[in-house]
Amino acid sequence: MLNISNLTKTYGGKRAVDDLSLHIAKGEICGFIGHNGAGKTTTIKAVCGILEFDGGEIFIGGRSVKREPLECKKNIAYIPDNPELYDFLSGIKYLNFIADVYGVGTIERRERIHKYAEIFELTADLAQYISAYSHGMKQKLALISALIHEPRLMVLDEPFVGLDPKASRAVKEIMREKCDKGGAVFFSTHVLEVAEKLCDKVAIIKDGKLVAYGEMDKVRGDSSLEAIFFELDEGGK
Amino acid sequence: MIKTLFILNLKALGANFVKTDKKKAGAGKILLVAFIAVYLTAILIGMFTALFSSLLEPFFSMGIGWLYFAFLALIVFGICVFSTIFTASAQLFGAKDNELLLSMPIKPSSVLISRLLVILTFEYVFVLIAAVPAFVLWLAGGYATAAGALFFIIGILLLPLMAMSAALLLAWLLGAVTSRLPHKNVITLAFSIGFLLAYFYVFANFQGYLGELVSKGLELAEAFRRAMPMFYAFGKGIAEGSVGGGLIFTLWSVLPFTAVITLLSANYMKMLIVNRGVVKAVYKERTVKAGNAISALVRKELAHYWSRPFVVLNSSIGSLFMLALSVIVIVKQSDILSYAGEFLPMLGGLPPAALAAVFLVLLCATNNLSASLISLEGKNLWIAKSIPAPPKAVLLSKVYTHLLISGFPCLVASVCTAMVFAKSMEDWLIIMLLPQAVGTLIAVGGLAINLHFPKLEWTNEIQAVKQGWSAMITMFGVMGTIAGIGLAYAFLLNSIIPLMAFLWICTGVFAVATVLIYVWLMKFGIKKFAEL
């Protein structure tokens, strides 16, 4: 579903992402871990086609993000680490805007908005302007908008920040459900326990380089993900 | 603490003018901003000099010299109040760092006073621009006394305090009235437009008022004295060196200001943290007709535009004037034609339709909305970049938005104007096409400039609209181009080519320039957009 090969992105003279390669197959959830400034968001933005990169290739469902960006974007859902939404629109108008842009039909959008707004308990607030939303409500709205076109690949940057426990559990269930239906999920997180329980694969990035990558059981071994993370982090110092 | 906060606020404001995203201001940019500031100041000083020189002699010769200064006070008061209401509201109650500062061990009154000082600093600049010409003319006229000059200095220092008291009360009232309403933007917009129309109505009739003021000076002076005793005191204190007048004005300024500041200081924290509870809109599920990406993007742009009164006022004031003009030319048709009959022979028989077209061009030229539409994306830019809509569609939606906001009122105004002034098919065509050619050129040109000079990092959208390089370059670029073309025709070409033919050539040149910039946008502009 997602194939990143030799991705390189340089800011000024600094390599933010250095020759990074990973592959996420259908049905897999891959957690992306690293300290602040390690290159997670840069990688995620490159995957979503909103950041040009210097070297390497990214394929989504076999299509190149560089050559066919629009086809790739139609198949993915992206949520940034801090979803700034159009606060001059109401929640429902924002969802309809996204549905129009993704070409979601009238019936389907109504069903999906109803379903996900109920799951995230946002139905009663959909007529409110986004400017009146809390951080968590914005995060929920961003999640609903990301799911409205039934994406095949979900790319989420810190999706659990600001969510209440019930919504967090709903997101985890939706992620698993998407994968069970042949989709895939690639998300970054600092919550190692969540990654450990939820992910089939894990990728650990440090200073732009992938320092560990593979199936969760193999990367973790007999230890915990936290122990491995700190071992890798301190090993490079 | 107040000093630190004051300097911080001033620095933030200065950086808005000279800094673009992630780049420090270069010497060139600082020089350009300084040049523009000097240029605008010179224009305003010239305007005030002309105004006060026409008032000085008549008033002082009639023995009502106080009215000269009362008039100055009234103008300064009006400018300061209008320029402060929305700034005060945004700075005091809407600043994004309010919560951060109030969470620190800083007195709320220090935060309040530091913000007020910034506003006051700008008010003093406005005051000086109006007061210095009035003062110099008064000195040169030989009417000045030492006591009067002393009161003038004291009065000018106190006048902004009085204006600020009124502005703060109005801002608080406006906030209190609109805070519970679901469509407060509409009310703010209506209020702003009402204020602006009243201002321009007074401005348009100013010569008439001046004439009346001079001819019925004594009668009006008495009415003025009764209606506005504070300005009478101001004028009397300066013109006659009256200690009583000076003291009364001091009380008029200091007492309300002290009362307002005391009240605000005591309640500032409460005003910021109180939640008046906006009426919650109820969501009713219903089926919405699906649309396409480009119409969704245009609808989004229009929703953004209408939600921000200051965007309407700062980037498309020409559209409001064009709509007002449409009504005026139809309702006052006979008056306009008779005025034109007197006025046009002075211009050597230039065709009325050509002049009408030029007038519409000037109104179109004040609309520079497209020059801030990229900047206004701000932190929402990720949405426009991550959706599966081609960058071309995103850019086109911004051009269409500008054309809808500027082009439609222009079309209405053109039809109404042509109904009055057009005598032939050519007249109709030039009135319809030339303003639209200029409007379309600004739509694509402004967007291209904004792609070059985006201001995506702002804390208040007004920075993207008013204080960005893009808006400034577009505004002065358009003004300079039109002035250059006008001067070239007036001094070089008018004997070679008739005005109508010249305007057709201009229309053609504008159309070609529009096509060229459009091609650039679709080829290179989309790359610039991807790099943002």
Side-chain angles (χ1 to χ4, degrees), chain B residues 5-16:
Chain B
L5 291 172
F6 171 67
I7 291 169
L8 185 77
N9 288 332
L10 267 190
K11 275 185 179 172
L13 210 64
N16 285 334

Side-chain angles (χ1 to χ4, degrees), chain B residues 201 326-338 420:
Chain B
Y201 181 78
S326 309
V327 177
I328 290 167
V329 289
I330 296 298
V331 175
K332 298 261 183 185
Q333 189 172 344
S334 55
D335 291 349
I336 290 171
L337 283 173
S338 104
V420 175

Side-chain angles (χ1 to χ4, degrees), chain B residues 203-503:
Chain B
F203 190 78
N205 293 297
F206 201 68
Q207 283 303 327
Y209 294 148
L210 275 185
E212 209 168 338
L213 208 60
V214 172
S215 65
K216 297 180 183 172
L218 293 169
E219 203 179 314
L220 285 169
E222 184 54 27
F224 199 106
R225 189 179 67 79
R226 280 200 303 269
M228 298 181 205
M230 60 296 229
F231 299 137
Y232 169 69
F234 177 85
K236 199 168 169 62
I238 301 168
E240 298 169 19
S242 158
V243 178
L247 279 174
I248 291 170
F249 179 72
T250 306
L251 291 175
W252 267 105
S253 311
V254 174
L255 289 181
F257 184 72
T258 312
V260 169
I261 294 301
T262 310
L263 203 69
L264 266 181
S265 297
N267 295 289
Y268 189 49
M269 187 80 174
K270 198 177 159 191
M271 288 164 107
L272 290 182
I273 59 175
V274 73
N275 187 348
R276 290 192 179 91
V278 178
V279 178
K280 190 175 175 181
V282 179
Y283 173 63
K284 285 181 190 154
E285 196 174 291
R286 60 169 182 232
T287 305
V288 179
K289 200 179 164 193
N292 61 27
I294 193 96
S295 69
L297 286 163
V298 172
R299 282 200 307 275
K300 183 270 286 182
E301 294 289 348
L302 289 174
H304 196 174
Y305 172 80
W306 287 114
S307 70
R308 305 291 193 261
F310 58 85
V311 177
V312 177
L313 293 172
N314 282 293
S315 62
S316 57
I317 194 78
S319 293
L320 297 174
F321 288 146
M322 283 191 277
L323 290 174
L325 177 76
S326 309
V327 177
I328 290 167
V329 289
I330 296 298
V331 175
K332 298 261 183 185
Q333 189 172 344
S334 55
D335 291 349
I336 290 171
L337 283 173
S338 104
Y339 181 68
E342 292 170 23
F343 177 70
L344 286 173
M346 289 189 271
L347 295 173
L350 291 174
L355 294 174
V358 170
F359 187 68
L360 286 171
V361 163
L362 294 175
L363 292 181
C364 275
T366 58
N367 288 345
N368 62 349
L369 176 65
S370 65
S372 53
L373 289 179
I374 297 284
S375 300
L376 280 171
E377 289 283 349
K379 287 177 181 166
N380 295 140
L381 187 67
W382 71 271
I383 302 174
K385 292 180 84 176
S386 65
I387 55 175
K392 183 180 164 182
V394 175
L395 297 186
L396 276 179
S397 71
K398 294 180 187 301
V399 173
Y400 293 158
T401 303
H402 182 110
L403 291 178
L404 278 172
I405 298 297
S406 179
F408 179 70
C410 179
L411 183 69
V412 174
S414 294
V415 170
C416 294
T417 310
M419 281 165 67
V420 175
F421 289 105
K423 300 276 182 277
S424 65
M425 183 54 78
E426 188 187 23
D427 287 355
W428 266 91
L429 287 174
I430 199 72
I431 291 175
M432 300 300 293
L433 295 179
L434 178 61
Q436 292 292 352
V438 171
T440 314
L441 177 58
I442 297 171
V444 293
L447 190 64
I449 291 169
N450 202 194
L451 280 167
H452 274 289
F453 301 97
K455 187 174 183 65
L456 297 165
E457 289 172 16
W458 36 257
T459 49
N460 185 328
E461 282 172 314
I462 208 155
Q463 294 165 0
V465 177
K466 267 180 98 169
Q467 298 160 8
W469 272 100
S470 173
M472 260 203 270
I473 290 172
T474 306
M475 186 171 74
F476 285 99
V478 170
M479 277 166 55
T481 305
I482 290 176
I485 292 172
L487 290 172
Y489 183 77
F491 294 105
L492 297 172
L493 302 169
N494 71 345
S495 57
I496 302 167
I497 183 168
L499 180 61
M500 195 62 107
F502 180 71
L503 294 184

Side-chain angles (χ1 to χ4, degrees), chain B residues 36-49 129 476 479:
Chain B
I36 291 168
V38 169
Y39 171 74
L40 288 177
T41 306
I43 286 177
L44 288 172
I45 286 177
M47 208 174 79
F48 284 118
T49 305
I129 288 171
F476 285 99
M479 277 166 55

